[in-house]
Amino acid sequence: MHRLRTCAAKLRPLTASQTAPKFSQKRPAAPRTFQPIRCYTAPVAAEPFLSGTSSNYVEEMYYAWLENPKSVHKSWDIFFRNANAGAPPGMAYQSPPPLGASLSGLAQVQSLVNAQPNVEKLVEDHLAVQSLIRAYQIRGHHVAQLDPLGIMDADLDSVVLSDLITSPDKLGFYGLDESDLDKVFRLPTTTFIGGNESALPLREIIRRLEMAYCQHIGVEFMFINDLDQCQWIREKFEKPGVMQFTLEEKRTLLARMVRSTRFEEFLQRKWSSEKRFGLEGSESLIPALKTIIDKSSENGVETVIMGMPHRGRLNVLANVIRKELEQIFCQFDSKLEAADEGSGDVKYHLGMYHRRINRVTDRNITLSLVANPSHLEAVDPVVQGKTKAEQFYCGDTDGNRVLSILMHGDAAFAGQGIVYETFHLSDLPSYTTHGTVHVVVNNQIGFTTDPRMARSSPYPTDVARVVNAPIFHVNADDPEAVVYVCNVAAEWRATFHKDVVVDLVSYRRNGHNEMDEPMFTQPLMYKQIKKQKPVLQKYAEKLIAEGAVTRQEYEEEISKYDKICEEAHARSKDEKIMHIKHWLDSPWPGFFTLDGQPKSMTCPSTGLGEEDLGHIGQVASSVPVEDFTIHGGLSRILKGRGEMIRNRTVDWALGEYMAFGSLLKEGIHVRLSGQDVERGTFSHRHHVLHDQNVDKRTCIPMNHISANQAPYTVCNSSLSEYGVLGFELGFAMASPNALVLWEAQFGDFHNTAQAIIDQFICPGQAKWVRQNGIVLLLPHGMEGMGPEHSSARPERFLQMCNDDPDVLPKISEDFAVRQLYDCNWIVVNCSNPANYFHVLRRQILQPFRKPLIIFTPKSLLRHPEAKSSFDDMLPGTRFLRLIPDNGAAAQAPEGVRRVIFCTGKVYYELTRERKTRGLEAQVAISRIEQLSPFPFDLVKAEAEKYPEAELVWCQEEHKNQGYYDYVKPRIRTTIERTRPVWYAGRDPAAAPATGNKNAHLQELKRFLDTALNLDSFQSRV
């Protein structure tokens, strides 16, 4: 047994790093000795008795002998030893000795047996063959013919490992030689190359492995740690004759290639000087996508949500989603006017939604291509979130009805970290979409950057290995191989509900865009590309040679599509106005009027009845499951909540609970996601209770509010901001009837998701006429915790608000709602739980959707003064955009010398200092709760109320940060610049906060003194 193990260890294929120095050699220019041919039978060495049914008997004897040579007759033992030692046909058989033979005769036979190699050689050879098969399964893709140009290695490596038999001399690596090529070996259960045969000659084994793994398809899968999944893939690619296409399938494929190719050629003819990021060189993408959709539709998928970069986008819109061609062509008209609100976007960023019949399956299919910015891969998590939402709303718990397809470029797939973040959401319970099909359009170049400078990994797809996703590399100039691989990818997803990657190895016929000159940087590559025959021409010639189509039929197919394009072009000239709504990727049927307007311009009261408040409070302060043991500290928290409910008050956590619970009761789904949101970073929320005695037993009281409530989803996310915020944005796109919130662990952590904020959330409606009601909860406040956990950077959000600081809007009856409708997002900093409660409810009750940015508190979560009464939350109450002073100053406004405007936590520090100084009658403090859109009307009323008072803006942030630069010009506009607006706060600084506790307190003391010293600004007048 020890010898067997040693032998197996010796013959196990080595890793690349182990073999490179010893066994590697430069990839030879000459063709391989073992040219793959479609031949799946080979003769077995002839013996006089091997005929007819006797071969089955011999096979049984052989297997018995393999297990125990003594279990068969001595003559069979001799025969099998001779055959495995390489005896030529007819010579392995030795007649048994006669019955009366002498002992000397038996000794002669025994000496003959002993002269033959023993069973160890047989075992070694079989182990060698098994190792050889495994080597092809692991590394066959390294020598597959993937590059259509034939000038590069898709794995960026010109070295072939010696464990792949590219010439007979490589057999020595396994202890075999050319004389073993016709020897028959039993095939292991980990291969399907035999088809119905269980043994094959070595020559045929190598041929079949070459056919399966070293042609136009390279399969990476042996890193997957699930045997069933590996076996499934082996069967798909190893079984003889798997890549067979019917005549009808070939003709359909040709028609799809015609449409893909002629669409780009038509655009090039008509608008040769326009950027369109065409698909030339990768035209196989269109039949690839259509194949994935066809196969998925066959497997029950009803909705497909896609995300992609700009290259080939117009072609996908035209030939996959079937956007009307005239709608695409009119985009090239420079005189086209925009009819919708907003700025619009370039044609190769726009999305689309379309429901149609799939012609192959004759079933309904809904296709959605999500609009995206130039920021490559940023759309990935957005698509996943939208897919998850669609699955959630239709009850698709296994992903059988809704599928996501993501397309990528090779350079971006390898270079953008968001790809990795998105992959890591793929199997998380609250984020999984049950498998995504990824298609990489591998141009083997990134803008002007060579792959060797663009990635350190062999392939651009190696990032997918982290989630055990199989990777199918395929030469895009072989359309049949592309379609086969895409069929397998769609079947994989339907079978295992896991991600899969198709690497479409192609080229880019033009530069990065049609105006770019690629010869500056890739001269040799583009010399080859200029000589390269287009894939349509190659495939058409192949089918014509096979007799699958005639040249006349092929030319008629081209003429037919060209005519369709010309007619659509003629119609496009009648289009004078660009309707961005025609490019909407996520329509909300029934939410707006038919022309896309809100059904009203009013927002009802966001208050709740006393009974509802009491009931939700009761749920928030109890454990609704029996025999459930909670932590002792949590028992005290729940007891405290119960006490507050009895006193008709709420703190921050209860205010949030009231908002969520009431919306759930009204049938509105609430989803809260982010790092540690279940408990809350500051241990205040506790929406998920954990049994202290039973592992992983949890309870979510919010899901026990009423029998017919909507479900509540609260989920701790992976430690990702970019990916998770993008995901939640996508989730919020799917339906207006859900409150979707993302909470940053600390407010400043949102900056790693800046691309989602800057490219999607802030301008999304302006670019794509796409409303979104996502809520960002950003913990913010200067509390002496240092520069990293203090500021949520409110200045950045306020700088991107679209209202004009120099124009006082016309005040009307519906001014507050009209302002909300016109803004690009809403920015608030609530100072009490009731206002937080109201702003969350308003997010759903208003007749449109806008992103809501909330700077949430930290110390106020437990501040004794930061509590609200039920009275502030009853029917008739609503969100207060500005909370005026209601103390002594408001009673005698004529005696007020200073009005301090502020927002958020600093209010409590100001009121405490004001009380200490006894200035309640001389200083009024007003809280601006809604910073944007700015409450011009309420600020105007407050300023007019105190005509003799100085106006001061006070903030705890540094002067060059926070709200000052946003608020000051708007207050000045409100009062028609009749009074100055003074500043009280920290001085300008590069960092958001000091790291020294003492310095923090000194700064606080200094700006509070400035704010409340009535002589602070006398010298500046």
Side-chain angles (χ1 to χ4, degrees):
M1 181 56 101
H2 168 71
R3 185 174 294 182
L4 250 174
R5 284 182 184 148
T6 307
C7 176
K10 282 181 186 174
L11 292 166
R12 189 179 296 121
L14 301 177
T15 63
S17 59
Q18 288 172 307
T19 55
K22 296 180 182 176
F23 301 105
S24 299
Q25 62 183 49
K26 284 290 177 185
R27 194 172 287 178
R32 297 195 190 108
T33 304
F34 295 97
Q35 287 303 314
I37 56 173
R38 295 184 184 270
C39 171
Y40 294 112
T41 57
V44 179
E47 287 290 356
F49 54 85
L50 282 184
S51 60
T53 55
S54 66
S55 61
N56 293 331
Y57 171 69
V58 173
E59 190 175 357
E60 286 180 23
M61 296 293 288
Y62 176 61
Y63 291 149
W65 175 79
L66 275 177
E67 289 179 15
N68 181 6
K70 293 181 180 178
S71 67
V72 299
H73 190 271
K74 186 65 70 178
S75 61
W76 281 113
D77 184 22
I78 295 168
F79 167 71
F80 290 137
R81 288 182 188 229
N82 285 344
N84 278 285
M91 300 298 291
Y93 173 68
Q94 298 285 337
S95 298
L99 289 174
S102 65
L103 287 174
S104 63
L106 288 172
Q108 187 179 355
V109 170
Q110 187 62 44
S111 67
L112 178 65
V113 170
N114 291 336
Q116 303 300 329
N118 61 22
V119 73
E120 185 174 323
K121 166 65 175 166
L122 179 68
V123 171
E124 284 184 0
D125 286 355
H126 270 79
L127 282 173
V129 170
Q130 289 195 24
S131 296
L132 184 150
I133 291 170
R134 183 171 172 80
Y136 271 90
Q137 291 170 339
I138 294 172
R139 286 186 282 282
H141 56 86
H142 285 297
V143 293
Q145 299 155 33
L146 299 175
D147 180 16
L149 303 175
I151 57 173
M152 291 180 71
D153 301 302
D155 61 356
L156 305 186
D157 195 349
S158 58
V159 173
V160 177
L161 299 172
S162 292
D163 56 353
L164 300 180
I165 311 302
T166 51
S167 58
D169 59 295
K170 302 285 187 68
L171 289 166
F173 178 77
Y174 294 100
L176 302 168
D177 55 39
E178 282 194 71
S179 65
D180 295 309
L181 286 172
D182 293 312
K183 191 185 292 185
V184 176
F185 290 90
R186 185 182 181 186
L187 296 171
T189 58
T190 53
T191 186
F192 292 85
I193 57 172
N196 295 323
E197 299 170 85
S198 56
L200 288 173
L202 179 58
R203 186 187 307 276
E204 184 63 15
I205 289 172
I206 295 171
R207 276 206 188 95
R208 295 194 185 189
L209 290 170
E210 288 267 331
M211 282 300 302
Y213 293 112
C214 305
Q215 297 306 291
H216 288 159
I217 299 172
V219 189
E220 277 190 278
F221 70 101
M222 289 291 282
F223 52 83
I224 295 173
N225 50 24
D226 184 295
L227 178 61
D228 291 339
Q229 292 174 10
C230 286
Q231 286 289 79
W232 189 92
I233 293 171
R234 289 184 185 116
E235 186 170 8
K236 291 294 179 184
F237 290 97
E238 292 182 355
K239 211 166 181 182
V242 286
M243 257 184 61
Q244 300 296 328
F245 289 86
T246 65
L247 182 63
E248 189 58 36
E249 287 170 339
K250 291 181 178 181
R251 293 169 74 94
T252 298
L253 175 52
L254 179 65
R256 289 175 171 179
M257 287 300 302
V258 165
R259 286 176 172 249
S260 174
T261 305
R262 298 300 288 183
F263 177 81
E264 298 293 354
E265 290 176 2
F266 183 82
L267 295 183
Q268 183 62 27
R269 282 199 310 275
K270 297 292 184 184
W271 299 282
S272 58
S273 60
E274 280 271 351
K275 282 186 190 179
R276 57 186 168 81
F277 296 96
L279 201 55
E280 289 96 332
S282 308
E283 293 93 343
S284 296
L285 174 66
I286 300 304
L289 293 176
K290 291 178 81 70
T291 299
I292 294 166
I293 292 167
D294 291 346
K295 178 58 73 172
S296 299
S297 174
E298 185 183 306
N299 288 326
V301 167
E302 298 164 3
T303 300
V304 177
I305 298 163
M306 294 186 282
M308 70 177 297
H310 38 277
R311 183 159 319 284
R313 191 180 194 90
L314 297 180
N315 208 324
V316 169
L317 284 165
N319 288 313
V320 178
I321 298 187
R322 304 227 197 104
K323 175 79 176 167
E324 299 94 331
L325 291 177
E326 55 266 34
Q327 289 285 328
I328 296 173
F329 295 157
C330 74
Q331 290 284 314
F332 289 90
D333 185 353
S334 59
K335 296 176 183 175
L336 196 68
E337 295 179 14
D340 303 300
E341 73 273 13
S343 59
D345 202 350
V346 292
K347 51 190 165 289
Y348 39 81
H349 287 171
L350 297 174
M352 175 62 187
Y353 174 96
H354 186 45
R355 185 168 173 80
R356 62 173 174 81
I357 294 286
N358 181 286
R359 291 173 186 166
V360 173
T361 60
D362 202 31
R363 294 176 177 175
N364 273 318
I365 190 105
T366 299
L367 302 173
S368 177
L369 177 63
V370 176
N372 63 267
S374 280
H375 293 59
L376 296 172
E377 308 296 339
V379 79
D380 296 358
V382 181
V383 168
Q384 300 296 60
K386 180 170 163 57
T387 304
K388 181 68 175 178
E390 298 289 359
Q391 290 173 348
F392 174 83
Y393 292 126
C394 72
D396 182 15
T397 54
D398 297 317
N400 294 320
R401 294 163 59 191
V402 184
L403 162 73
S404 59
I405 300 175
L406 285 174
M407 287 153 272
H408 315 266
D410 52 316
F413 199 60
Q416 291 291 323
I418 187 58
V419 174
Y420 184 84
E421 290 189 35
T422 305
F423 267 118
H424 269 287
L425 297 176
S426 66
D427 209 24
L428 303 182
S430 295
Y431 302 87
T432 181
T433 57
H434 308 284
T436 297
V437 180
H438 300 264
V439 181
V440 179
V441 181
N442 186 350
N443 298 148
Q444 306 182 86
I445 187 171
F447 204 151
T448 66
T449 304
D450 187 272
R452 287 172 180 81
M453 306 298 141
R455 65 177 188 264
S456 297
S457 60
Y459 296 103
T461 53
D462 287 330
V463 64
R465 294 167 68 109
V466 299
V467 292
N468 280 329
I471 302 162
F472 305 141
H473 308 280
V474 59
N475 186 323
D477 265 17
D478 184 345
E480 290 184 8
V482 169
V483 165
Y484 182 73
V485 155
C486 289
N487 262 315
V488 173
E491 285 183 39
W492 164 274
R493 194 271 176 184
T495 305
F496 298 107
H497 297 287
K498 292 178 71 70
D499 283 38
V500 58
V501 178
V502 175
D503 179 20
L504 209 58
V505 185
S506 54
Y507 58 93
R508 191 186 67 196
R509 190 167 285 279
N510 301 309
H512 176 65
N513 60 61
E514 287 68 27
M515 302 295 97
D516 196 50
E517 177 49 81
M519 291 287 283
F520 288 144
T521 50
Q522 276 78 27
L524 298 181
M525 182 186 208
Y526 273 84
K527 282 177 184 173
Q528 177 61 38
I529 287 173
K530 283 178 180 175
K531 294 185 226 170
Q532 187 81 358
K533 191 183 288 187
V535 60
L536 173 62
Q537 188 180 336
K538 281 186 185 177
Y539 190 56
E541 288 172 358
K542 175 180 179 291
L543 293 193
I544 290 167
E546 290 176 3
V549 295
T550 64
R551 182 161 294 279
Q552 182 183 349
E553 288 172 324
Y554 165 57
E555 289 171 356
E556 283 174 359
E557 190 68 38
I558 288 176
S559 301
K560 177 180 158 190
Y561 188 66
D562 285 355
K563 185 183 178 189
I564 290 170
C565 289
E566 287 291 352
E567 289 172 353
H569 179 242
R571 290 194 300 274
S572 74
K573 293 177 181 177
D574 298 331
E575 297 281 343
K576 304 297 181 190
I577 298 173
M578 158 66 177
H579 292 279
I580 304 176
K581 288 190 180 74
H582 293 168
W583 300 78
L584 191 60
D585 55 16
S586 302
W588 292 339
F591 185 69
F592 297 111
T593 62
L594 290 177
D595 58 352
Q597 297 302 309
K599 290 183 175 177
S600 74
M601 263 312 199
T602 59
C603 180
S605 164
T606 47
L608 272 187
E610 180 102 22
E611 189 179 326
D612 285 336
L613 291 171
H615 173 67
I616 296 167
Q618 177 62 35
V619 173
S621 56
S622 61
V623 182
V625 178
E626 292 183 4
D627 301 322
F628 195 97
T629 307
I630 61 173
H631 190 275
L634 188 52
S635 295
R636 289 191 294 275
I637 291 171
L638 298 189
K639 186 178 178 183
R641 285 182 183 174
E643 188 65 29
M644 276 191 285
I645 296 301
R646 283 190 290 277
N647 293 330
R648 299 182 70 253
T649 59
V650 297
D651 63 1
W652 203 269
L654 266 178
E656 182 181 78
Y657 221 107
M658 298 294 188
F660 289 2
S662 59
L663 291 172
L664 292 167
K665 195 166 181 288
E666 293 161 18
I668 300 297
H669 173 53
V670 178
R671 176 184 170 92
L672 173 62
S673 163
Q675 294 156 21
D676 311 298
V677 296
E678 295 178 6
R679 191 200 75 172
T681 300
F682 310 104
S683 198
H684 71 289
R685 184 172 285 126
H686 297 288
H687 282 188
V688 179
L689 310 181
H690 293 259
D691 194 314
Q692 299 296 297
N693 299 324
V694 182
D695 187 35
K696 295 176 183 169
R697 186 185 182 210
T698 60
C699 167
I700 302 175
M702 198 86 78
N703 279 322
H704 295 263
I705 288 174
S706 69
N708 299 317
Q709 71 170 81
Y712 175 51
T713 302
V714 55
C715 42
N716 291 340
S717 73
S718 66
L719 204 71
S720 151
E721 290 83 30
Y722 192 170
V724 175
L725 179 56
F727 187 97
E728 301 309 331
L729 176 80
F731 199 103
M733 279 170 53
S735 169
N737 299 316
L739 183 68
V740 180
L741 310 96
W742 174 77
E743 182 174 70
Q745 191 175 63
F746 288 91
D748 52 333
F749 288 174
H750 79 259
N751 57 17
T752 60
Q754 205 66 48
I756 298 296
I757 294 167
D758 288 0
Q759 314 310 133
F760 288 89
I761 299 177
C762 171
Q765 184 176 352
K767 292 197 290 187
W768 306 314
V769 198
R770 183 174 76 193
Q771 294 192 16
N772 195 299
I774 190 167
V775 180
L776 274 61
L777 303 178
L778 307 177
H780 171 84
M782 308 291 124
E783 317 221 335
M785 293 294 105
E788 261 61 67
H789 294 331
S790 296
S791 176
R793 296 288 188 177
E795 66 276 5
R796 294 184 179 170
F797 292 95
L798 294 172
Q799 183 191 35
M800 290 190 282
C801 294
N802 65 353
D803 59 338
D804 192 332
D806 302 320
V807 176
L808 183 64
K810 183 182 177 183
I811 310 299
S812 60
E813 192 178 335
D814 62 353
F815 175 72
V817 178
R818 181 69 58 182
Q819 260 196 318
L820 293 175
Y821 180 70
D822 290 337
C823 74
N824 61 317
W825 57 16
I826 304 163
V827 181
V828 304
N829 188 351
C830 300
S831 60
N832 67 49
N835 234 17
Y836 179 51
F837 159 84
H838 283 298
V839 81
L840 290 175
R841 284 184 50 79
R842 185 184 74 174
Q843 191 68 357
I844 290 297
L845 295 179
Q846 64 194 8
F848 43 80
R849 294 290 173 263
K850 298 285 176 172
L852 173 62
I853 316 300
I854 306 180
F855 301 117
T856 57
K858 293 174 285 184
S859 62
L860 294 194
L861 296 174
R862 294 177 178 84
H863 197 292
E865 292 176 42
K867 291 184 178 177
S868 297
S869 164
F870 277 16
D871 293 335
D872 298 326
M873 304 163 71
L874 292 174
T877 58
R878 59 182 67 243
F879 176 73
L880 301 176
R881 294 174 292 140
L882 181 148
I883 302 177
D885 195 308
N886 60 359
Q891 304 307 317
E894 64 281 350
V896 172
R897 293 181 55 190
R898 178 172 293 177
V899 176
I900 300 176
F901 289 103
C902 67
T903 188
K905 172 181 80 75
V906 75
Y907 167 76
Y908 294 96
E909 288 157 340
L910 284 166
T911 54
R912 186 181 67 244
E913 185 69 16
R914 180 178 66 173
K915 185 177 181 181
T916 302
R917 298 187 181 211
L919 296 173
E920 286 100 328
Q922 293 172 281
V923 177
I925 303 175
S926 296
R927 291 169 269 176
I928 298 181
E929 303 277 294
Q930 179 176 291
L931 293 146
S932 182
F934 191 72
F936 287 98
D937 53 337
L938 302 180
V939 171
K940 189 173 191 295
E942 198 70 358
E944 289 173 351
K945 183 176 180 180
Y946 306 101
E948 304 303 318
E950 293 177 322
L951 303 182
V952 176
W953 173 260
C954 180
Q955 65 178 38
E956 58 179 350
E957 296 81 6
H958 291 281
K959 190 174 185 179
N960 60 323
Q961 299 166 30
Y963 322 91
Y964 178 60
D965 286 337
Y966 175 86
V967 166
K968 180 182 176 179
R970 287 165 176 81
I971 295 178
R972 294 270 291 157
T973 296
T974 303
I975 61 173
E976 298 177 347
R977 296 171 180 78
T978 54
R979 284 180 268 179
V981 177
W982 302 112
Y983 171 76
R986 287 180 166 89
D987 293 335
T994 177
N996 181 282
K997 187 75 173 179
N998 185 55
H1000 165 78
L1001 294 173
Q1002 289 298 318
E1003 290 171 353
L1004 174 63
K1005 183 174 181 295
R1006 200 158 41 239
F1007 83 72
L1008 287 177
D1009 184 62
T1010 304
L1012 289 160
N1013 181 345
L1014 298 180
D1015 297 325
S1016 298
F1017 307 109
Q1018 291 302 315
S1019 60
R1020 304 187 204 178
V1021 177

